[in-house]
Amino acid sequence: MENFKVEVDPDGIAVFLFDVPGRTMNTFTGSAVADLDALVARIRDDPAIKGAVLASGKANGFCAGADLGEMGDTAGRPVSGAAREAVLIDSSRMSRALRALETVGKPVAAALEGVALGGGFEFAQAAHRRFAARGLARVGLPEVTIGLLPGAGGTQRTPRLAGVPAALKLMLSGAPIDAETALAQGLVDAVVEPGQTVEAAKRWILDGGEGVQPWDRPGFAMPDGPYTPKGGETFMIAAADLQARHYGNYPARQNIVRCVYEGFGLPMDAALRVEARLFLATQRTPQARAMIRSNFLSKQALAKGSARPQEVAPFKVNKAAVLGAGMMGAGVAYAQARAGIETVLIDVTQEAADRGRSYSQKLVDAAVARGEMSAAAASSFMARIVATPDYSAIAGCDLVVEAVFEDTGLKADVTRRAEAMLEPGTVMASNTSTLPIGVLAQASQRPESFIGIHFFSPVDRMELVEIIVGVQTSRETLAKAMDYCRALKKVPIVVNDSRGFYTSRVFESYSFEGLEMLLEGIAPAIIDNVGRMTGMPRGPLELLDDVAIDLVDRIAGQRRRDLGVNGPLAGPELVLHQMVSAGRLGRKNGVGFYDYPEGGSKRLWSGLAALYPVKVATSSPELVESLKRRLLYRQAVEAARCMDEKVVTAARDADVGAILGWGFAPWTGGPMSLIDTAGVDVFTADCDALALAHGARFAPPPLLRRMAQSRQDFYPSSPEA
């Protein structure tokens, strides 16, 4: 076996250490899956082996799941007929191997010292007992987050161990649970101290542990079935919830419920065949292909700094300053302190700076209250943040992040004041979301060290950072900025300088298309409901309320001034101005497109109809599909323009940036994946039709026309494996 090391102790217990060569974390590669057959054969055929323990040879966990790089090569490719049966046999190899493991006839236990996720947890479930380390072990089935379902027995063993409600919650959320929760649900059998799992597993075997699963014993009956009151209610709620929250956009979610429902009460071998067929059907959907690529492979590569200039030596930030202690600056300060970086938080007064520091104090206090941080660690954390109005405290910083108000003059002033305290070569970064870096760099004495680092709010939770390279920004500065973002455990995308950059520019197209619909007389409720039906986190109108209508209006006004646009306001910009003039700024002041009564649920503003009379008050399937296409395609064609103009130069940056930055429908894999799924030629033709019907904002850029003519994709397909 290439991926498992085995030692048989004097008591006849074989310990199989899972240790994939060349990997920091175990994953089930094709080679590791093939080794399972040899592992089972060794347990079954070696008379010296009385029982077996499955453990990890890695210090950081049991197994993180399947190798998605290998799986991504075939995901999304339809298959039928005789070829389908051959592919089915191949895709269910691990499922059959784990079934052979649990019926090997000798007791098998799993020792879980760290994470056991996806295929790793399915491997552990095939053991007859599971022993988890307190405080270290976390188990889960996160396949749904990348458009898949557990395909090695997870949809069948999980409900047999934990019951249907808990099993569906685990699989449909994709979130891991800790050892104590898993014990309470029956997913592990014992929680022991770290380092004791192997010994506990051995003791269970020596004390007479039996190598038979509960479902293979005569008379086994699953609880909470679809024909019981509780089980029937669970399935009805699950089906309704899927439609209400996900609108049929995710085949994996529907097929997880189908697996549990259709496999319920069947003998395990038949239930696993149900799962195998539904797994293959799910894995071959366009959603699976796009989500594996963008939500995992591309995101992981970007998080590791794949776009970093490799000729530049690694850079470590020991001390960094943040200029501006408002919401964004306070969030950046917290993120830096969390990464162990000594932080200077600057604002105009001590009171304002202290207020920004208190943001971190609240988060740290909450972590202590939850038991996630000790009081000593909290004290050390807060000691890393020094709040002051004194710019001389910036001396000795390796990097400065300017996070003041979106005003060119103000940003120029703080840049000059900060640079007076900095050594040559120190990175000066602006956390701007829209203002061109070339304009802001004019205030700098060393524009080669000036760069944009656009964080997203709330900084402590949002993963994405948009790094904006100016014309004069050096490659050394880019590399340093990427190393800084990696230290903060952020996912950076790199874009070139332009107004609105990538994320703000394309995000605006979604909200503005909603305003175009409002002006056309589409009922506001229809607009926002359809927005959510596309897979976006909010409808376009409610999203404007969340962002702040006056902020979007101010950005639009700044753009008009900078571009020298004169004349009366029209279209979406007029709507924004009218809302601000009416004092309706959004959620922040309790009135926007919606009203936000204290202690009550938000509701659409009744006065909207007076400003924008409703002409389409009732919906239809045809209208819904038309509006969905407009909202998604408006964003995708704008993203394609950004590619055409070299604002963003890689499809994966565009896709990951869209999903992490403003929540672009994750089931699509991002706007460039959406275009590929539709077909570049089909998408281009559809946009031409939309442009004729609704305006030039839908007109395809030259890049799409060239790609359509030469039958190119943003992600060229690799040969079938």
Side-chain angles (χ1 to χ4, degrees):
M1 292 180 290
E2 180 182 343
N3 303 278
F4 291 89
K5 302 169 185 175
V6 59
E7 294 181 358
V8 182
D9 71 13
D11 292 317
I13 300 176
V15 177
F16 290 87
L17 292 177
F18 192 10
D19 195 2
V20 180
R23 302 287 181 99
T24 57
M25 171 65 80
N26 288 324
T27 58
F28 269 108
T29 60
S31 169
V33 173
D35 279 352
L36 290 176
D37 293 330
L39 183 152
V40 172
R42 178 70 187 274
I43 297 171
R44 181 188 63 231
D45 299 337
D46 189 340
I49 294 178
K50 303 297 188 293
V53 176
L54 311 175
S56 175
K58 308 286 189 188
N60 59 352
F62 185 71
C63 175
D67 187 300
L68 293 173
E70 294 180 358
M71 187 177 294
D73 290 337
T74 57
R77 292 179 175 159
V79 61
S80 59
R84 178 181 176 81
E85 292 306 310
V87 172
L88 179 62
I89 290 171
D90 183 65
S91 68
S92 60
R93 282 190 309 155
M94 184 169 172
S95 181
R96 295 194 307 276
L98 295 186
R99 181 61 176 154
L101 176 64
E102 70 181 3
T103 57
V104 73
K106 298 177 183 178
V108 179
L112 309 178
E113 288 286 339
V115 295
L117 303 175
F121 188 40
E122 290 175 297
F123 184 34
Q125 286 183 329
H128 305 106
R129 285 292 186 278
R130 286 153 296 282
F131 297 86
R134 190 184 315 279
L136 291 180
R138 293 181 67 80
V139 303
L141 297 167
E143 288 86 349
V144 72
T145 63
I146 50 167
L148 295 174
L149 58 81
T155 68
Q156 302 308 315
R157 294 187 182 93
T158 308
R160 285 164 172 78
L161 289 167
V164 171
L168 285 177
K169 181 178 179 180
L170 185 74
M171 292 186 285
L172 292 175
S173 73
I177 57 177
D178 60 28
E180 288 75 13
T181 304
L183 178 65
Q185 294 181 0
L187 292 169
V188 302
D189 299 282
V191 176
V192 300
E193 295 306 310
Q196 299 300 310
T197 55
V198 172
E199 288 306 313
K202 285 184 174 183
R203 281 198 302 274
W204 171 75
I205 295 172
L206 292 173
D207 288 344
E210 294 183 286
V212 182
Q213 296 282 31
W215 43 87
D216 288 325
R217 295 180 183 275
F220 173 78
M222 284 179 64
D224 306 329
Y227 306 112
T228 65
K230 183 177 180 181
E233 180 182 352
T234 296
F235 282 104
M236 284 191 291
I237 291 173
D241 186 62
L242 286 180
Q243 187 58 34
R245 296 179 60 193
H246 304 292
Y247 304 99
N249 290 324
Y250 297 90
R253 295 181 178 278
Q254 295 165 301
N255 286 342
I256 284 171
V257 177
R258 281 189 62 188
C259 279
V260 177
Y261 184 87
E262 295 178 19
F264 189 94
L266 291 177
M268 179 58 78
D269 293 300
L272 291 175
R273 288 195 293 272
V274 169
E275 178 189 82
R277 292 188 178 278
L278 285 171
F279 173 80
L280 180 60
T282 305
Q283 191 239 359
R284 293 294 170 143
T285 60
Q287 290 93 330
R289 183 174 184 81
M291 291 177 73
I292 290 171
R293 180 175 57 221
S294 296
N295 299 5
F296 184 81
L297 299 175
S298 294
K299 177 184 171 184
Q300 187 179 72
L302 290 170
K304 291 179 179 178
S306 60
R308 181 191 188 278
Q310 295 302 308
E311 72 274 14
V312 180
F315 172 69
K316 182 180 180 182
V317 176
N318 295 304
K319 180 182 178 183
V322 181
L323 311 182
M327 181 177 67
M328 291 300 294
V332 174
Y334 173 83
Q336 290 182 174
R338 182 172 58 185
I341 297 171
E342 299 297 320
T343 296
V344 178
L345 183 58
I346 301 278
D347 214 306
V348 291
T349 66
Q350 185 65 53
E351 181 184 13
D354 287 341
R355 192 161 51 244
R357 186 177 184 273
S358 70
Y359 177 83
S360 292
Q361 187 69 64
K362 290 176 184 176
L363 292 176
V364 167
D365 288 346
V368 172
R370 293 191 302 267
E372 297 172 358
M373 182 183 288
S374 68
S379 177
S380 296
F381 186 110
M382 292 307 301
R384 289 194 284 272
I385 303 177
V386 175
T388 178
D390 184 3
Y391 273 71
S392 67
I394 297 174
C397 283
D398 304 303
L399 181 144
V400 175
V401 176
E402 168 270 299
V404 300
F405 190 69
E406 287 284 278
D407 178 270
T408 304
L410 177 60
K411 287 179 180 290
D413 178 58
V414 299
T415 296
R416 285 189 286 266
R417 294 182 66 185
E419 283 191 347
M421 302 295 168
L422 299 175
E423 296 294 324
T426 302
V427 175
M428 184 74 202
S430 176
N431 174 51
T432 178
S433 60
T434 57
L435 300 177
I437 293 302
V439 173
L440 299 180
Q442 291 174 8
S444 173
Q445 295 300 308
R446 31 187 186 251
E448 71 282 355
S449 298
F450 198 94
I451 197 167
I453 301 181
H454 173 205
F455 290 91
F456 291 75
S457 182
V459 179
D460 55 289
R461 294 202 300 272
M462 295 292 280
E463 296 179 276
L464 186 72
V465 169
E466 186 178 32
I467 297 179
I468 307 105
V469 178
V471 174
Q472 294 177 275
T473 304
S474 71
R475 286 177 61 79
E476 179 181 1
T477 299
L478 171 59
K480 288 179 176 180
M482 295 193 75
D483 288 345
Y484 164 73
C485 292
R486 188 174 182 185
L488 268 54
K489 292 184 168 51
K490 300 295 184 181
V491 179
I493 62 168
V494 179
V495 305
N496 289 315
D497 193 16
S498 71
R499 183 163 297 278
F501 317 127
Y502 171 66
T503 56
S504 296
R505 173 176 165 180
V506 183
F507 164 73
E508 182 185 79
S509 70
Y510 173 64
S511 55
F512 273 34
E513 192 60 28
L515 296 180
E516 294 279 5
M517 293 174 179
L518 186 69
L519 289 168
E520 292 169 21
I522 308 295
I526 294 176
I527 296 170
D528 273 355
N529 284 335
V530 170
R532 289 189 293 273
M533 291 174 73
T534 66
M536 295 292 291
R538 295 279 193 280
L541 304 181
E542 60 184 349
L543 199 55
L544 280 167
D545 271 8
D546 288 347
V547 171
I549 299 169
D550 60 324
L551 173 61
V552 181
D553 177 58
R554 193 161 53 245
I555 291 170
Q558 183 70 54
R559 178 173 58 232
R560 286 171 59 85
R561 288 190 294 274
D562 290 347
L563 297 178
V565 176
N566 297 311
L569 293 173
E573 291 185 348
L574 176 59
V575 177
L576 294 173
H577 182 70
Q578 288 173 330
M579 294 293 288
V580 173
S581 298
R584 303 192 70 87
L585 310 183
R587 186 183 288 273
K588 73 178 187 180
N589 77 330
V591 291
F593 291 101
Y594 289 77
D595 288 322
Y596 300 87
E598 281 192 30
S601 300
K602 71 180 183 183
R603 54 179 178 265
L604 278 163
W605 176 38
S606 59
L608 268 180
L611 281 177
Y612 315 107
V614 173
K615 301 174 184 176
V616 180
T618 57
S619 184
S620 69
E622 293 76 19
L623 177 65
V624 167
E625 289 306 310
S626 171
L627 298 182
K628 283 170 63 177
R629 175 166 293 192
R630 282 176 61 180
L631 289 171
L632 286 177
Y633 278 34
R634 179 68 186 86
Q635 296 175 80
V637 77
E638 193 65 37
R641 289 194 191 103
C642 289
M643 291 282 291
D644 187 43
E645 297 166 18
K646 301 292 190 293
V647 174
V648 60
T649 59
R652 70 176 181 185
D653 288 51
D655 279 345
V656 172
I659 292 170
L660 297 185
W662 70 90
F664 186 85
W667 63 270
T668 66
M672 315 327 293
S673 290
L674 174 66
I675 295 172
D676 271 7
T677 298
V680 178
D681 54 344
V682 173
F683 179 86
T684 301
D686 286 345
C687 283
D688 279 330
L690 287 167
L692 282 173
H694 301 288
R697 63 186 182 274
F698 284 101
L703 172 66
L704 287 183
R705 298 198 187 280
R706 293 194 301 270
M707 292 176 66
Q709 188 172 15
S710 59
R711 296 190 174 278
Q712 289 180 294
D713 294 322
F714 287 104
Y715 295 96
S717 298
S718 58
E720 183 76 52

